[in-house]
Coordinates of all heavy atoms in Angstrom, one line a residue:
K1 N 8.3 18.1 9.8 CA 8.1 16.7 9.4 C 7.1 16.0 10.4 O 7.2 16.2 11.6 CB 9.4 15.9 9.4 CG 10.4 16.4 8.4 CD 9.9 15.9 7.1 CE 11.0 16.3 6.0 NZ 10.6 15.8 4.7
L2 N 6.1 15.3 9.9 CA 5.1 14.6 10.7 C 5.4 13.2 11.0 O 4.7 12.5 11.7 CB 3.7 14.7 10.1 CG 3.2 16.2 9.8 CD1 1.9 16.1 9.0 CD2 3.0 16.9 11.2
G3 N 6.5 12.6 10.3 CA 6.8 11.2 10.5 C 5.8 10.3 9.8 O 5.5 9.2 10.4
R4 N 5.4 10.7 8.7 CA 4.4 9.8 7.9 C 5.0 9.5 6.5 O 5.7 10.3 6.0 CB 3.1 10.5 7.8 CG 2.5 10.7 9.2 CD 1.1 11.4 9.1 NE 0.7 11.7 10.5 CZ -0.1 12.7 10.8 NH1 -0.6 13.5 9.9 NH2 -0.4 12.9 12.1
R5 N 4.5 8.4 6.0 CA 5.0 8.0 4.7 C 3.9 7.3 3.9 O 3.1 6.5 4.5 CB 6.2 7.0 4.9 CG 6.8 6.5 3.6 CD 8.1 5.8 3.9 NE 7.8 4.5 4.6 CZ 8.0 3.3 4.0 NH1 8.4 3.2 2.8 NH2 7.7 2.2 4.7
V6 N 3.7 7.7 2.7 CA 2.7 7.1 1.8 C 3.4 6.4 0.6 O 4.3 7.0 0.0 CB 1.7 8.2 1.2 CG1 0.8 7.6 0.2 CG2 1.0 8.8 2.4
V7 N 3.1 5.2 0.4 CA 3.6 4.5 -0.7 C 2.5 4.0 -1.7 O 1.5 3.4 -1.2 CB 4.4 3.2 -0.3 CG1 5.0 2.4 -1.4 CG2 5.5 3.6 0.7
I8 N 2.6 4.4 -2.9 CA 1.6 4.1 -3.9 C 2.3 3.2 -5.0 O 3.4 3.7 -5.5 CB 0.9 5.3 -4.6 CG1 0.2 6.0 -3.5 CG2 0.0 4.9 -5.7 CD1 -0.5 7.3 -4.0
K9 N 1.8 2.0 -5.3 CA 2.5 1.2 -6.3 C 1.4 0.5 -7.1 O 0.2 0.4 -6.8 CB 3.3 0.1 -5.6 CG 2.6 -0.7 -4.6 CD 3.5 -1.7 -3.9 CE 2.8 -2.5 -2.8 NZ 3.6 -3.4 -2.1
A10 N 1.8 -0.1 -8.3 CA 1.0 -0.8 -9.1 C 0.6 -2.1 -8.5 O 1.4 -2.7 -7.9 CB 1.6 -1.0 -10.5
K11 N -0.6 -2.6 -8.8 CA -1.1 -3.8 -8.2 C -1.9 -4.6 -9.3 O -2.8 -4.0 -9.9 CB -1.9 -3.6 -7.0 CG -2.5 -4.9 -6.4 CD -3.2 -4.6 -5.1 CE -3.9 -5.8 -4.5 NZ -3.0 -6.7 -3.9
T12 N -1.6 -5.8 -9.5 CA -2.4 -6.7 -10.4 C -3.5 -7.3 -9.5 O -3.2 -8.0 -8.5 CB -1.5 -7.7 -11.0 OG1 -0.5 -7.1 -11.7 CG2 -2.3 -8.5 -12.0
K13 N -4.7 -7.1 -9.9 CA -5.8 -7.6 -9.1 C -6.3 -9.0 -9.5 O -7.2 -9.6 -8.9 CB -7.0 -6.6 -9.2 CG -6.7 -5.3 -8.6 CD -7.8 -4.4 -8.6 CE -8.1 -3.9 -10.0 NZ -9.1 -2.8 -10.1
S14 N -5.8 -9.5 -10.6 CA -6.3 -10.9 -11.0 C -5.5 -12.0 -10.3 O -4.4 -11.8 -9.8 CB -6.1 -11.0 -12.5 OG -4.8 -11.0 -12.9
K15 N -6.1 -13.1 -10.2 CA -5.5 -14.3 -9.6 C -4.5 -15.0 -10.5 O -4.5 -14.8 -11.7 CB -6.6 -15.3 -9.1 CG -7.6 -14.7 -8.1 CD -8.6 -15.7 -7.8 CE -9.6 -15.1 -6.7 NZ -10.6 -16.0 -6.4
A16 N -3.6 -15.7 -9.9 CA -2.6 -16.4 -10.6 C -3.2 -17.4 -11.6 O -4.2 -18.1 -11.3 CB -1.7 -17.2 -9.7
G17 N -2.7 -17.5 -12.8 CA -3.2 -18.4 -13.8 C -4.3 -17.8 -14.7 O -4.7 -18.4 -15.6
K18 N -4.8 -16.6 -14.3 CA -5.9 -16.0 -15.1 C -5.3 -15.0 -16.1 O -4.1 -14.6 -16.0 CB -6.8 -15.2 -14.2 CG -7.5 -16.1 -13.1 CD -8.6 -16.9 -13.7 CE -9.3 -17.7 -12.6 NZ -10.4 -18.4 -13.1
D19 N -6.1 -14.6 -17.0 CA -5.6 -13.6 -18.0 C -5.6 -12.2 -17.3 O -6.4 -11.9 -16.5 CB -6.7 -13.5 -19.1 CG -6.2 -12.6 -20.3 OD1 -5.0 -12.3 -20.3 OD2 -7.1 -12.3 -21.1
H20 N -4.5 -11.4 -17.6 CA -4.3 -10.1 -17.0 C -4.9 -9.0 -17.8 O -4.6 -7.8 -17.5 CB -2.8 -9.9 -16.8 CG -2.1 -10.8 -15.9 ND1 -2.3 -10.7 -14.5 CD2 -1.4 -11.9 -16.0 CE1 -1.6 -11.6 -13.9 NE2 -1.1 -12.4 -14.8
S21 N -5.8 -9.2 -18.7 CA -6.3 -8.1 -19.6 C -7.1 -7.2 -18.8 O -8.2 -7.5 -18.3 CB -7.1 -8.7 -20.7 OG -8.1 -9.4 -20.3
G22 N -6.7 -5.9 -18.6 CA -7.5 -4.9 -18.0 C -7.7 -5.0 -16.5 O -8.7 -4.5 -16.0
S23 N -6.9 -5.8 -15.8 CA -7.1 -6.0 -14.4 C -6.0 -5.5 -13.5 O -5.7 -6.1 -12.6 CB -7.3 -7.5 -14.2 OG -6.1 -8.2 -14.6
S24 N -5.5 -4.3 -13.9 CA -4.5 -3.7 -13.0 C -5.0 -2.5 -12.3 O -6.1 -2.0 -12.6 CB -3.3 -3.3 -13.8 OG -3.6 -2.3 -14.8
G25 N -4.4 -2.1 -11.2 CA -4.8 -1.0 -10.5 C -3.7 -0.4 -9.6 O -2.5 -0.7 -9.9
K26 N -4.0 0.3 -8.6 CA -3.0 0.9 -7.7 C -3.4 0.5 -6.3 O -4.5 0.3 -5.9 CB -3.0 2.4 -7.8 CG -2.7 3.0 -9.1 CD -1.2 3.0 -9.4 CE -0.9 3.7 -10.7 NZ 0.5 3.6 -11.0
E27 N -2.3 0.5 -5.5 CA -2.5 0.2 -4.0 C -1.7 1.3 -3.3 O -0.6 1.5 -3.6 CB -2.0 -1.2 -3.7 CG -2.2 -1.5 -2.2 CD -1.7 -2.9 -1.9 OE1 -0.7 -3.3 -2.4 OE2 -2.4 -3.5 -1.0
G28 N -2.3 1.8 -2.3 CA -1.6 2.8 -1.4 C -1.6 2.4 0.0 O -2.6 1.8 0.5
V29 N -0.5 2.7 0.7 CA -0.3 2.3 2.1 C 0.2 3.6 2.8 O 1.1 4.2 2.4 CB 0.7 1.2 2.3 CG1 0.7 0.8 3.8 CG2 0.3 0.0 1.4
L30 N -0.4 3.9 4.0 CA 0.0 5.0 4.8 C 0.6 4.5 6.1 O 0.0 3.7 6.8 CB -1.3 5.9 5.2 CG -1.1 7.0 6.2 CD1 -0.1 8.0 5.7 CD2 -2.4 7.6 6.6
Y31 N 1.9 4.9 6.3 CA 2.6 4.5 7.5 C 2.8 5.7 8.4 O 3.1 6.8 7.9 CB 4.0 3.9 7.1 CG 4.0 2.7 6.3 CD1 4.2 2.7 4.9 CD2 3.7 1.4 6.9 CE1 4.2 1.6 4.1 CE2 3.7 0.3 6.1 CZ 3.9 0.4 4.7 OH 3.9 -0.7 3.9
V32 N 2.7 5.5 9.7 CA 2.9 6.5 10.7 C 4.0 6.0 11.6 O 4.0 4.9 12.1 CB 1.7 6.9 11.5 CG1 1.9 7.9 12.6 CG2 0.6 7.3 10.6
T33 N 5.0 6.9 11.9 CA 6.1 6.5 12.8 C 5.7 6.8 14.2 O 5.4 8.0 14.6 CB 7.4 7.3 12.5 OG1 7.7 7.1 11.1 CG2 8.6 6.9 13.3
V34 N 5.7 5.8 15.1 CA 5.4 5.9 16.5 C 6.5 5.3 17.3 O 6.8 4.1 17.2 CB 4.0 5.1 16.8 CG1 3.7 5.2 18.3 CG2 2.9 5.7 15.9
E35 N 7.2 6.2 18.1 CA 8.3 5.8 18.9 C 9.4 5.0 18.2 O 9.9 4.0 18.6 CB 7.8 4.9 20.1 CG 6.8 5.7 21.0 CD 6.3 4.8 22.1 OE1 6.6 3.6 22.2 OE2 5.4 5.3 22.9
G36 N 9.7 5.5 17.0 CA 10.7 4.9 16.2 C 10.3 3.7 15.3 O 11.1 3.2 14.5
Q37 N 9.1 3.3 15.4 CA 8.6 2.1 14.7 C 7.5 2.6 13.7 O 6.7 3.4 14.0 CB 8.0 1.1 15.6 CG 8.9 0.5 16.6 CD 10.0 -0.4 16.0 OE1 9.7 -1.1 15.0 NE2 11.2 -0.4 16.5
E38 N 7.6 2.1 12.4 CA 6.6 2.4 11.5 C 5.4 1.5 11.6 O 5.5 0.3 11.7 CB 7.1 2.3 10.0 CG 7.8 3.5 9.5 CD 8.0 3.5 8.0 OE1 7.8 2.4 7.4 OE2 8.3 4.5 7.5
V39 N 4.2 2.1 11.7 CA 3.0 1.4 11.9 C 2.1 1.7 10.7 O 1.9 2.8 10.3 CB 2.2 1.8 13.2 CG1 0.9 1.1 13.4 CG2 3.2 1.6 14.4
E40 N 1.5 0.6 10.1 CA 0.6 0.8 9.0 C -0.8 1.3 9.5 O -1.4 0.6 10.4 CB 0.4 -0.5 8.3 CG -0.5 -0.4 7.1 CD -0.7 -1.7 6.4 OE1 0.3 -2.4 6.1 OE2 -1.8 -2.1 6.0
K41 N -1.2 2.4 9.0 CA -2.5 3.0 9.5 C -3.6 2.8 8.5 O -4.8 2.7 8.9 CB -2.4 4.5 9.7 CG -1.6 4.8 11.0 CD -2.4 4.4 12.2 CE -1.7 4.8 13.5 NZ -2.4 4.4 14.7
A42 N -3.3 2.7 7.2 CA -4.4 2.6 6.2 C -3.8 1.9 4.9 O -2.6 2.1 4.6 CB -4.9 3.9 5.8
R43 N -4.6 1.1 4.3 CA -4.3 0.4 3.1 C -5.5 0.5 2.2 O -6.6 0.1 2.6 CB -3.9 -1.1 3.3 CG -3.5 -1.8 2.1 CD -3.1 -3.2 2.4 NE -1.9 -3.3 3.1 CZ -0.6 -3.4 2.6 NH1 -0.5 -3.6 1.3 NH2 0.4 -3.5 3.4
V44 N -5.3 1.0 0.9 CA -6.4 1.2 0.0 C -6.0 0.6 -1.4 O -4.8 0.9 -1.8 CB -6.7 2.7 -0.1 CG1 -7.8 2.9 -1.2 CG2 -7.1 3.3 1.2
A45 N -6.8 -0.1 -2.0 CA -6.6 -0.5 -3.4 C -7.7 0.0 -4.3 O -8.9 0.2 -3.8 CB -6.6 -2.1 -3.5

């Protein structure tokens, strides 16, 4: 085990109050455990 975690989730890219047609995507976050604490190393949309 390397102590790393990747979370990929759905993300709506449009602003509040706007139409949501075709404006969804994914967002991924990479966390690394350092001395018992999770630290975010990368975030990609």
Side-chain angles (χ1 to χ4, degrees):
K1 293 285 185 182
L2 299 175
R4 297 179 187 154
R5 181 170 68 109
V6 174
V7 179
I8 297 178
K9 59 185 177 180
K11 178 174 174 75
T12 303
K13 296 185 286 189
S14 64
K15 295 180 181 178
K18 301 284 183 175
D19 186 17
H20 292 283
S21 60
S23 59
S24 63
K26 299 281 186 183
E27 181 179 38
V29 184
L30 172 64
Y31 298 100
V32 177
T33 303
V34 178
E35 298 176 0
Q37 300 289 326
E38 274 195 346
V39 179
E40 181 181 315
K41 286 292 184 180
R43 180 179 293 265
V44 177

